Amino acid sequence: MSWRDLGAGELRQDDIGKTVTLAGWTARRRDHGGLIFVDLRDQTGLGQLVINPERSPEAARTAHEIRNEFVLRARGEVVARAPEAVNPKLPTGEVEVQVDELEILSRSTPLPFQLDEENVDETLRYRYRWLDLRRDRLQRNIRTRAQLVSIIRQEMERDGFVDVETPIMAKPTPEGARDFLVPTRLQKGKFFALPQSPQIYKQLLVISGFERYYQIARCFRDEDLRADRLQELTQLDVEMAFPDVEYIFALMERIVPRIWRETIGVELETPFRRMSWQEAELRFGSDKPDLRFGLEIQDATELTRGSEFGVFANAEAVRYLSVPRELSRTEIQKLEDMAKPWGAKGLAYIVFREDGEVSSPIAKFLSEEELEAFREPGTTALFVADTPKLASKVLGLLRLHLGRELDLIDRDAWEFLWVTPMPLLEWTEDENRWMAQHHPFTRPTDDSLPLLDTDPGAASAVAYDLVGNGIELAGGSIRIHEPELQARMFDFLGISPEEQRAKFGFLLDALAMGAPPHGGIASGIDRLTMALLDEPVIRDTVAFPKNQAGADPMSGAPTEVPDEQLRELGLQLRPEL
C-alpha cells in the first residue's frame, strides 16, 4: 500500500491532470454549503483538497466528520484553481486536488490550544509539546537547527576534524556551574557527573594523537534557567594540536557566514571586527556588546575630578550615557529603580532641552565647562559614579534597555565581533580568592606570566569569544600544555596539591607524557539557532525542553523514585532542614 506519492506542499501546475495520493494532517476545514475545502499539511507544506459531493458522495460523507489535526489520506485529480481562488502566498496556491477517495487514518481529541493561537501559556505548550511542535515556527526552528548542524559537520570534516564521542558519565570536576550527579548501583556512595563540557576529554584526545577533534556534544549544567540558558545544551566542540588562533578565527568565519547564507539568505561581512575585553567593557559595559546601535558609555572621570559635585569628585569612576531623548522625571525614576538592584546607589542626570535650557538637580554644582562637555540639545545624560566595574555594568544594562525601549536597534543588521584578548582571572569577593575567568586550563599570554606574582588582575588569557548581535555565540582558548604551568595555575587558584591529584591527576599525568600545544573553541548550537532565527527564548530551539523551573510538564520529570531503588543505590533522602 502506498500512503502517498506526493507531498501536499509539492503540488504544482505541472501536476495538473495527474491523479495523486496525499496524506497528512488537517490544518483547516471549511464547509461552503456543499463543497468542503481542507488544507492538508505535511512536512512539505500545505495543499488544498476539494471534496465535491457530486463528484464523490462517499468522500463528502467522510469529510463532514473531519476536524483540525485529523490525519487523512486522499486520492484525486490535480486541477487548476479558478483565477479568483489563486493564493499567491502559497507555493501550491495555483492548484488543488479534486478528491475521489478520502480516508480518516487517525482522529484527534479536542485540542488544548489551536496551532495558530497566540500567547499560549508556556507550561501548556510544553505539556502538549507534540502538538506545539506542529506549529510553523517550531517546525522552522527544529529544521533550521538540523540544517545548521549539517553545515557544521560538512565544514569540520572538510578540514580533517574527526568526530569522536566522549563519555556522558564522567568525574565531577570544578568548571563553574553545578554538576548533575549520577549515583551508581555498582559503587554505592560514589557518583558520576554529567559533563558540563568535554573539556578534559578533548584535551586528552589531542594528546592521544587525534590532532583535530570535533563533536556535537551534549552538556549539562545544574544552574538557574533564563531566556538564553538551558540545563541541557548542545555545543560544537573543537580542539586541535599545534593551534593557530588565526586559523580558528578563519574557521568560524567560514562556518558562521555559510550558516547565515544557506538558512536565512543573509550575507555576513568577514573578517569579523575585533575588540579587546577591556574596550568592550569600557564602551558598552558588556563582554558581549550589541553593536547594532550606538549609545556608547562615555567616561567623565578626569573631567569631574575637581568638580564641586562631591559624588563625582570623590568617585573612583564617573561614566555616563547620552540618551538621544529628553527623558521625563518619571522615566528617569523608572530607570533609577531598575539600576539600584544592579548595584547603583543612584542615577544622576542632566536633561538638555532643544531650546538650550538645562533641567537637573545637580546642574548648580557643575561648572560651565563641565556642563558644556555633556551638552547635546535634546538629550539626557545619565551618570553612574562608582567603581569602574559597577559603573560599566549598570550603564551597560541601561544601554540595552534603552536600545530596546527607544527603538534604537537596527533589527535587520547583523553585527559580529571577536572579543579578545580576555582577562585570565577574576576576583570573587564571596570566596576572597582569584578564579579563572574562562576555566583553569586556559593559557596566560606570555607577557602575563610575570603578572601572576605582581598584578594578577592585569593578566590576560589567550582566549576569545565570538559575539553576534549581543549574544555570545562561541568561546575558546589556547590551553596550558606544560604540567608545571598547569600545576602552578591550580596552586594560584587555591587548588591544593592533594586536590590536584585527586581531581586532575590523570590530566597532569597526560600532560607529562608528550602533550602538544593545543586549543580550540566551542559554540552553543541552541544559542546559535536562537540568534540566527531571532528567537527570544532559547527553549524554543529545542524539541523537548524543560520549562523555566527545570521540569518537563509533558512527562512529569523529574519524579520521585521508590525507596527500593534508592536502597540499591545506597541512598536515603533526608527531610528538608
Side-chain angles (χ1 to χ4, degrees), residues 518-557:
H518 56 282
I521 195 165
S523 177
I525 300 297
D526 322 281
R527 194 170 288 179
L528 200 61
T529 308
M530 180 186 181
L532 174 69
L533 298 176
D534 195 24
E535 274 291 340
V537 178
I538 198 169
R539 294 184 290 280
D540 279 337
T541 69
V542 178
F544 296 101
K546 308 295 184 291
N547 63 15
Q548 199 160 357
D552 177 7
M554 183 182 70
S555 68

Side-chain angles (χ1 to χ4, degrees), residues 130-278:
W130 61 85
L131 184 64
D132 194 33
L133 284 170
R134 295 180 194 171
R135 293 171 180 261
D136 290 343
R137 183 172 62 85
L138 272 293
Q139 286 278 319
R140 177 204 64 169
N141 290 0
I142 302 305
R143 293 181 188 281
T144 302
R145 178 189 172 116
Q147 184 182 2
L148 176 157
V149 170
S150 176
I151 291 170
I152 289 172
R153 289 192 183 280
Q154 292 169 35
E155 292 294 332
M156 297 307 298
E157 288 161 17
R158 165 183 158 181
D159 274 26
F161 286 84
V162 179
D163 183 0
V164 185
E165 293 182 351
T166 52
I168 289 295
M169 294 195 299
K171 183 175 184 177
T173 56
E175 292 190 44
R178 296 183 185 87
D179 287 324
F180 279 103
L181 299 177
V182 181
T184 170
R185 177 180 59 82
L186 298 178
Q187 290 90 28
K188 286 186 174 67
K190 295 185 178 180
F191 296 83
F192 291 106
L194 302 182
Q196 295 185 32
S197 77
Q199 179 60 48
I200 294 178
Y201 287 112
K202 67 184 177 186
Q203 292 187 243
L204 293 174
L205 281 167
V206 173
I207 294 170
S208 301
F210 293 93
E211 294 188 22
R212 291 194 170 190
Y213 143 92
Y214 92 99
Q215 183 183 182
I216 305 297
R218 297 289 286 164
C219 305
F220 306 85
R221 296 166 191 172
D222 187 4
E223 55 188 1
D224 295 337
L225 298 178
R226 296 200 297 255
D228 64 345
R229 181 180 290 177
L230 296 166
Q231 290 182 329
E232 299 174 74
L233 55 140
T234 306
Q235 70 180 32
L236 164 65
D237 203 50
V238 179
E239 195 80 3
M240 62 185 297
F242 313 109
D244 178 343
V245 171
E246 292 301 322
Y247 166 76
I248 292 172
F249 284 13
L251 176 66
M252 296 304 293
E253 288 173 358
R254 193 176 79 221
I255 292 174
V256 172
R258 183 181 165 191
I259 289 170
W260 258 249
R261 180 186 316 117
E262 294 186 14
T263 58
I264 63 172
V266 169
E267 287 289 342
L268 300 180
E269 185 176 340
T270 58
F272 300 147
R273 73 175 80 181
R274 302 184 188 185
M275 185 180 296
S276 72
W277 182 92
Q278 289 79 6

Side-chain angles (χ1 to χ4, degrees), residues 51-62 100:
I51 301 98
N52 186 339
E54 294 182 2
R55 181 180 181 114
S56 178
E58 187 174 344
R61 283 192 292 272
T62 302
D100 295 313

Side-chain angles (χ1 to χ4, degrees), residues 41-103:
R41 183 190 72 244
D42 64 17
Q43 67 173 359
T44 64
L46 288 176
Q48 180 167 279
L49 307 179
V50 183
I51 301 98
N52 186 339
E54 294 182 2
R55 181 180 181 114
S56 178
E58 187 174 344
R61 283 192 292 272
T62 302
H64 282 291
E65 301 178 37
I66 294 172
R67 298 292 180 268
N68 284 2
E69 299 309 307
F70 276 30
V71 180
L72 310 177
R73 178 173 174 268
R75 181 174 174 80
E77 181 186 357
V78 181
V79 300
R81 293 195 193 189
E84 66 274 12
V86 168
N87 184 349
K89 295 180 180 179
L90 288 178
T92 60
E94 293 180 310
V95 296
E96 59 195 16
V97 176
Q98 291 282 347
V99 175
D100 295 313
E101 301 173 19
L102 183 64
E103 181 182 359

